[in-house]
């Protein structure tokens, strides 16, 4: 008589009176549950990569008999994040065929039926874990050739140079965009150098993006970079005659960073490293290529950040992990500041309604898993620039919404917002200047002050534009004065970053948004000077000519500077300060710019109608 007492997940089964030892599990429970390839080690490689070593087990727990479909244990977001330290919430991948989809649906239904009361919603709302080794037709690289992991790793600079680039980043760049936690990155970097084949592609993308940004800030004559140049193919070294080799290699590293994200299927598999890498790529694009190129990626980063719940407090995570997420969310908001200030068609005010916890204004060493130690002194921290940028994000959003709405001519609102900008400037003076002069003992602080001042003066231009011209319906002499002074200040800041030895480590800022702001300033100043006879026009014209020369010199490093140079040459020709560029029309260009913030033409000079007639007034309300 056959015994029907089947002991599920036990050591033996009673069948037909015989005792048959159950075969030991070949794959661990986590790999079977997630349908991953298991290397049968203990812990296995898959669990190590996903930081789940503690639950890697080959013994199935004893319990009541259940079908194979219902054996998968639901893993809630809080539980998985507590074990892994990263709240990865990948989207549902495309399954192979209808049978797999039906099987998955049946599995979910069975789980709901067998789950205890109160957890049904958690099971239904859980995002399924993507399968590995599945030919997903929606994968971004499903029709593209793939690069092996070893090829990617070989594309990195040598270790000694990587060490130098990472060190340079945290010393001179980090405070401007502090989305990382230094000690955590140090541990990740050390682990990668010891076992590079175990690296996650999103984190590798972060390393490539960081090295790209850091390399672009260095001079090609730096002897510490010789180990990089010696390994370059001849095609890159030959191209260095027109583009600086640091820029060429930097772009190559940035492309590899994006390739890592694509091959990691970042559209359907999101980890926290994916979020960090995307933000670093967008920041690099904004400062080395063009702000508009990061716009689509910025939308992806916003959605991934929300999916990873970086905008909410997660009690299941430790203090460090929560702070890392706060920093990245803050970085996401500050990247939107570029879009709001430089593209008037985008209203960023909806982001203000997302009540996300702010990062702590402390240094990395003040953050432990137990608590955050608040500084008692008033000295700036590694996060102070970011905190100022967060305030600027809110202020710029208010100003952009005001200037694009029906209240743009409200003079009381004008005075209130002008005072808010001035108050920010006072805070920066107190934090980064010494009695109104640059801090020569810490040149980085003066650089931070310069960067923040470019935001302030650009906001002044946006705010006062409708009131600056005597032919405007509501002309204010104060607004014209503010536009002239802010334009001159922006051009002066551009010149200091180009010339001042104390700011040599921040020369790279001229390749991106800083030069774009200087272009805005030159156009604004030209418009004011045409309507004003009280100022010394010669000195201002000389400042614009000097800016044109700098833009020409920077054209090989930056697409923005190349386009700005072309536009400023036409502006110079129209003002009678120079000869028209070869092949251009001599027709006056009075109506070349309809508005200061009509950025589309400025980003691509080929779209400009250089033959427009009429009065040249870029600020016409």
């Amino acid at each position: 008589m056959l015994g029907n007492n089947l002991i599920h997940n036990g050591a033996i089964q009673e069948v037909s009176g015989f005792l048959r030892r159950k075969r030991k599990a070949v794959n661990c429970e986590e790999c079977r549950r997630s349908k991953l390839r298991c290397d049968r080690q203990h812990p296995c490689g898959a669990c190590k990569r996903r930081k789940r070593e503690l639950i890697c087990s080959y013994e199935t727990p004893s319990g009541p008999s259940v079908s194979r479909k219902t054996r998968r244990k639901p893993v809630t977001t809080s539980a998985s994040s507590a074990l892994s330290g990263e709240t990865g919430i990948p989207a549902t991948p495309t399954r192979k065929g209808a049978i797999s989809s039906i099987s998955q649906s049946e599995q979910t239904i069975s789980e709901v039926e067998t789950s205890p009361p109160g957890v049904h919603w958690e099971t239904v709302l859980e995002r399924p874990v993507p399968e590995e080794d599945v030919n997903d037709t929606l994968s971004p690289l499903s029709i593209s050739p793939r690069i092996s992991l070893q090829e990617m790793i070989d594309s990195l600079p040598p270790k000694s140079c990587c060490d130098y680039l990472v060190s340079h980043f945290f010393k001179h760049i980090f405070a401007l965009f502090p989305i990382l936690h230094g000690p955590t990155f140090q541990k990740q970097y050390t682990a990668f150098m010891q076992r590079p084949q175990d690296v996650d592609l999103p984190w590798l993308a972060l390393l490539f993006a960081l090295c790209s940004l850091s390399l672009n800030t260095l001079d090609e004559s730096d002897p510490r970079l010789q180990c990089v140049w010696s390994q370059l193919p001849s095609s890159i070294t030959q191209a260095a005659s027109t583009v600086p080799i640091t820029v060429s290699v930097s772009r190559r590293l940035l492309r590899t960073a994006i390739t890592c994200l694509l091959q990691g299927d970042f559209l359907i598999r999101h980890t926290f490293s994916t979020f960090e890498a995307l933000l670093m790529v967008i920041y690099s694009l904004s400062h080395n290529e063009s702000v508009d190129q990061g716009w689509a990626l910025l939308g992806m980063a916003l959605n991934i950040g929300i999916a990873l719940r970086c905008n909410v407090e997660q009690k299941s995570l430790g203090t460090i992990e929560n702070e890392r997420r706060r920093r990245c969310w803050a970085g996401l908001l500050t990247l939107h500041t570029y879009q709001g200030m430089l593209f008037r068609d985008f209203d960023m005010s909806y982001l203000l309604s997302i009540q996300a916890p702010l990062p702590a204004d402390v240094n990395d060493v003040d953050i432990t898993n137990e608590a955050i130690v608040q500084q008692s002194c008033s000295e700036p921290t590694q996060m102070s620039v970011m905190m100022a940028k967060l305030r600027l994000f809110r202020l710029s959003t208010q100003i952009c919404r005001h200037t694009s709405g029906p209240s743009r001519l409200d003079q009381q609102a004008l005075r209130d917002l002008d005072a808010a900008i001035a108050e920010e400037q006072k805070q920066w003076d107190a934090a980064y200047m010494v009695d109104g002069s640059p801090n020569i003992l810490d040149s980085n602080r003066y650089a931070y002050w310069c960067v923040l001042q470019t935001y302030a003066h650009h906001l002044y231009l946006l705010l006062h534009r409708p009131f600056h011209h005597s032919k405007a319906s509501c002309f204010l002499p104060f607004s014209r004065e503010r536009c002239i002074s802010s334009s001159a200040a922006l051009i002066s800041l551009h010149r200091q970053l180009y010339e001042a030895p104390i700011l040599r480590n921040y020369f790279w800022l001229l390749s991106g948004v800083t030069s774009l702001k200087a272009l805005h300033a030159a156009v604004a100043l030209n418009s004011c000077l045409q309507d004003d006879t009280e100022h010394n026009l010669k000195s201002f014209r000389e400042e614009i000519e000097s800016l044109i020369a700098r833009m020409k010199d920077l054209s090989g490093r930056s697409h923005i500077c190349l386009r700005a140079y072309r536009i400023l040459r036409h502006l110079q020709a129209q003002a009678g300060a120079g000869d028209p560029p070869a092949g251009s029309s001599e027709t006056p260009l009075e109506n070349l710019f309809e508005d200061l913030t009509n950025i589309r033409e400025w980003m691509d000079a080929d779209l400009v109608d250089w033959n427009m007639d009429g009065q040249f007034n870029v600020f016409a309300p």
Side-chain angles (χ1 to χ4, degrees):
M1 178 178 179
L2 292 175
N4 57 6
N5 179 24
L6 299 179
I7 305 176
H8 180 71
N9 289 337
I12 59 175
Q13 289 180 324
E14 186 178 7
V15 181
S16 300
F18 294 96
L19 293 179
R20 184 176 66 185
R21 184 173 300 276
K22 184 181 177 182
R23 184 173 59 184
K24 184 178 180 179
V26 175
N27 297 333
C28 76
E29 276 295 294
E30 279 296 295
C31 287
R32 281 198 307 232
R33 179 184 64 78
S34 303
K35 299 181 178 65
L36 302 179
R37 180 178 298 172
C38 185
D39 60 13
R40 305 175 187 178
Q41 302 298 317
H42 188 75
C44 72
C47 287
K48 287 181 181 179
R49 288 194 302 272
R50 304 168 75 202
K51 295 183 172 62
R52 297 185 177 181
E53 298 95 327
L54 296 178
I55 59 174
C56 181
S57 173
Y58 291 84
E59 297 297 331
T60 56
S62 60
S65 177
V66 291
S67 69
R68 184 176 183 180
K69 290 180 181 179
T70 63
R71 193 166 59 194
R72 178 178 179 268
K73 180 181 178 181
V75 181
T76 62
T77 301
S78 60
S80 61
S81 60
L83 292 169
S84 67
E86 293 191 352
T87 316
I89 311 179
T92 306
T94 303
R95 304 295 184 182
K96 278 187 175 180
I99 297 179
S100 297
S101 300
I102 295 174
S103 175
Q104 182 187 12
S105 301
E106 291 177 350
Q107 176 176 320
T108 302
I109 294 172
S110 299
E111 289 173 355
V112 172
E113 291 175 348
T114 58
S115 299
V119 299
H120 291 173
W121 283 359
E122 293 292 332
T123 303
V124 173
L125 297 176
E126 179 191 358
R127 294 175 185 262
V129 178
E131 298 179 11
E132 290 188 357
D133 301 320
V134 173
N135 185 18
D136 193 338
T137 57
L138 295 182
S139 172
L141 286 187
S142 58
I143 58 175
S144 303
R146 300 180 71 86
I147 304 175
S148 69
L149 176 61
Q150 188 59 52
E151 288 179 290
M152 293 181 184
I153 296 174
D154 292 341
S155 298
L156 280 169
K159 182 183 181 303
S160 60
C161 190
C162 270
D163 293 347
Y164 174 51
L165 294 176
V166 171
S167 176
H168 182 83
F169 172 85
F170 280 97
K171 185 177 181 180
H172 297 294
I173 307 173
F174 174 71
L176 294 175
F177 195 60
I179 64 169
L180 305 177
H181 178 249
T184 298
F185 185 87
Q186 170 86 47
K187 294 178 182 178
Q188 295 170 335
Y189 181 77
T190 301
F192 166 71
M193 287 301 176
Q194 292 174 349
R195 302 187 64 179
Q197 293 299 329
D198 292 342
V199 69
D200 287 329
L201 283 177
W203 188 88
L204 187 59
L206 172 63
L207 179 59
F208 269 107
L210 187 152
C211 288
S212 169
L213 181 59
S214 190
L215 183 61
N216 203 54
T217 69
L218 297 170
D219 192 275
E220 61 186 63
S221 62
D222 191 328
R224 289 160 291 195
L225 299 178
Q226 290 304 314
C227 59
V228 179
W229 312 147
S230 61
Q231 295 184 358
L232 291 177
S234 58
S235 58
I236 295 182
T237 55
Q238 292 173 0
S241 58
T242 56
V243 178
I245 193 169
T246 51
V247 176
S248 180
V249 178
S250 173
R251 290 173 180 170
R252 184 186 182 195
L253 294 176
L254 190 61
R255 285 193 296 269
T256 308
I258 298 175
T259 300
C260 289
L261 288 173
L262 290 173
Q263 291 199 185
D265 291 338
F266 79 101
L267 294 179
I268 59 175
R269 292 182 174 90
H270 317 319
T271 67
F272 184 62
S273 292
T274 307
F275 192 35
E276 290 178 312
L278 264 180
L279 294 178
M280 196 64 70
V281 167
I282 297 168
Y283 184 78
S284 184
L285 285 174
S286 298
H287 285 279
N288 296 321
E289 296 293 333
S290 174
V291 179
D292 61 322
Q293 290 187 16
W295 174 240
L297 289 177
L298 191 57
M300 295 181 188
L302 173 62
N303 289 329
I304 290 176
I306 293 175
L308 298 176
R309 305 179 68 216
C310 292
N311 59 312
V312 297
E313 199 73 18
Q314 300 185 56
K315 296 181 180 179
S316 60
L317 300 179
T319 304
I320 292 178
E321 291 303 317
N322 266 315
E323 193 63 21
R324 290 175 65 197
R325 282 152 179 77
R326 295 190 196 108
R327 289 185 175 190
C328 280
W329 188 261
L332 178 74
L333 295 181
T334 62
L335 289 174
H336 279 84
T337 307
Y338 301 145
Q339 305 293 335
M341 292 175 62
L342 301 175
F343 296 84
R344 67 169 180 172
D345 295 331
F346 305 119
D347 184 0
M348 305 297 173
S349 58
Y350 70 96
L351 292 172
L352 296 176
S353 62
I354 303 178
Q355 301 299 319
L358 296 179
D361 189 7
V362 297
N363 295 317
D364 283 344
V365 295
D366 300 321
I367 307 172
T368 66
N369 275 324
E370 289 72 31
I372 297 177
V373 180
Q374 295 291 339
Q375 292 278 359
S376 58
C377 62
S378 58
E379 287 293 307
T381 69
Q382 292 173 311
M383 290 298 296
S384 293
V385 175
M386 178 66 84
M387 305 308 290
K389 285 186 175 182
L390 283 174
R391 297 193 302 271
L392 280 170
F393 168 71
R394 293 183 175 275
L395 183 57
S396 66
T397 299
Q398 295 171 12
I399 290 175
C400 292
R401 184 170 50 190
H402 163 74
T403 56
S404 61
S407 64
R408 65 197 297 259
L409 302 180
D410 185 343
Q411 296 187 20
Q412 182 59 49
L414 170 73
R415 288 189 288 270
D416 292 343
L417 292 171
D418 185 280
I421 301 173
E423 182 59 33
E424 284 294 323
Q425 290 179 298
K426 290 180 181 178
Q427 294 188 46
W428 307 335
D429 289 345
Y432 299 111
M433 302 289 276
V434 178
D435 298 328
S437 300
N439 188 336
I440 62 173
L441 301 181
D442 188 351
S443 60
N444 288 346
R445 293 193 181 186
Y446 184 54
Y448 305 155
W449 180 87
C450 291
V451 169
L452 294 174
Q453 289 293 339
T454 64
Y455 284 86
H457 290 295
H458 188 74
L459 288 176
Y460 279 133
L461 294 181
L462 293 178
L463 183 61
H464 288 274
R465 180 184 59 82
F467 305 91
H468 87 286
H469 203 279
S470 62
K471 295 183 180 180
S473 58
C474 46
F475 168 66
L476 293 176
F478 167 68
S479 289
R480 182 166 65 188
E481 288 297 323
R482 178 68 86 183
C483 285
I484 291 176
S485 62
S486 288
S487 296
L490 275 171
I491 295 175
S492 175
L493 289 167
H494 190 277
R495 177 176 50 79
Q496 290 184 64
L497 287 167
Y498 183 88
E499 297 177 352
I502 194 176
L503 297 174
R504 187 64 187 87
N505 287 317
Y506 297 90
F507 181 83
W508 59 276
L509 289 170
L510 300 178
S511 297
V513 292
T514 302
S515 284
L516 190 55
K517 292 173 184 176
L519 171 62
H520 291 186
V523 176
L525 183 59
N526 184 79
S527 179
C528 290
L529 295 180
Q530 289 188 358
D531 188 50
D532 178 53
T533 58
E534 299 178 2
H535 291 83
N536 182 2
L537 302 185
K538 181 179 179 181
S539 63
F540 288 123
R541 294 295 180 196
E542 290 175 350
E543 283 293 323
I544 293 177
E545 290 177 14
S546 177
L547 176 63
I548 294 174
R550 292 195 297 274
M551 291 293 189
K552 180 180 181 181
D553 183 61
L554 294 167
S555 295
R557 299 181 59 92
S558 165
H559 297 303
I560 287 179
C561 293
L562 175 61
R563 293 165 182 171
Y565 169 69
R566 295 178 59 189
I567 293 171
L568 289 174
R569 286 286 290 119
H570 282 278
L571 185 69
Q572 183 185 48
Q574 185 276 334
D579 298 328
S584 66
S585 170
E586 297 184 4
T587 303
L589 308 174
E590 286 84 355
N591 279 338
L592 176 60
F593 299 102
E594 177 188 1
D595 192 286
L596 171 65
T597 51
N598 190 355
I599 199 71
R600 184 167 179 263
E601 286 83 0
W602 295 1
M603 301 308 297
D604 190 349
D606 292 332
L607 298 177
V608 176
D609 181 3
W610 298 109
N611 297 316
M612 296 179 69
D613 297 325
Q615 183 178 4
F616 187 83
N617 178 15
V618 300
F619 291 105

